[in-house]
Amino acid sequence: MFTVEDVIRILRAGAGADEQIDLGGKAVADTEFAELGYDSLALLEFVNRIEREYGIEIPDGDVEKGSTPQEVVTYVNGRLVEVAR
């Protein structure tokens, strides 16, 4: 199961974290990545790390479907279910 905590961990590991952004707050799940300070290059690294760590493929263009950490969690968990079948 992929969680918001996994999103935060991977973001911090791959792209670092803006010291002014509280990634530990409850509101982070529904805050858009751009508002959190992550640009398209950081999100590309984020997706690559998810693919490697969880053994799934995220097709090009699917990243844009998740503009918040919670949307990414929902998407990745769906992909994990597909792979498990």
Side-chain angles (χ1 to χ4, degrees):
M1 176 124 149
F2 189 72
T3 67
V4 171
E5 288 77 19
D6 293 317
V7 170
I8 292 167
R9 176 181 53 79
I10 293 169
L11 282 173
R12 284 184 172 149
D18 184 334
E19 296 299 322
Q20 297 175 342
I21 302 295
D22 178 17
L23 290 178
K26 290 183 179 182
V28 72
D30 296 315
T31 303
E32 293 192 8
F33 287 109
E35 290 180 49
L36 294 172
Y38 294 98
D39 62 13
S40 59
L41 186 58
L43 292 178
L44 181 60
E45 174 63 20
F46 171 64
V47 168
N48 288 334
R49 285 176 176 266
I50 292 171
E51 289 178 324
R52 286 191 308 268
E53 187 171 327
Y54 288 87
I56 60 173
E57 182 179 332
I58 299 175
D60 292 342
D62 278 9
V63 175
E64 290 81 25
K65 293 179 183 177
S67 62
T68 68
Q70 185 58 56
E71 290 173 352
V72 170
V73 166
T74 300
Y75 175 83
V76 169
N77 282 326
R79 296 290 294 159
L80 290 170
V81 168
E82 289 175 19
V83 170
R85 290 183 187 172

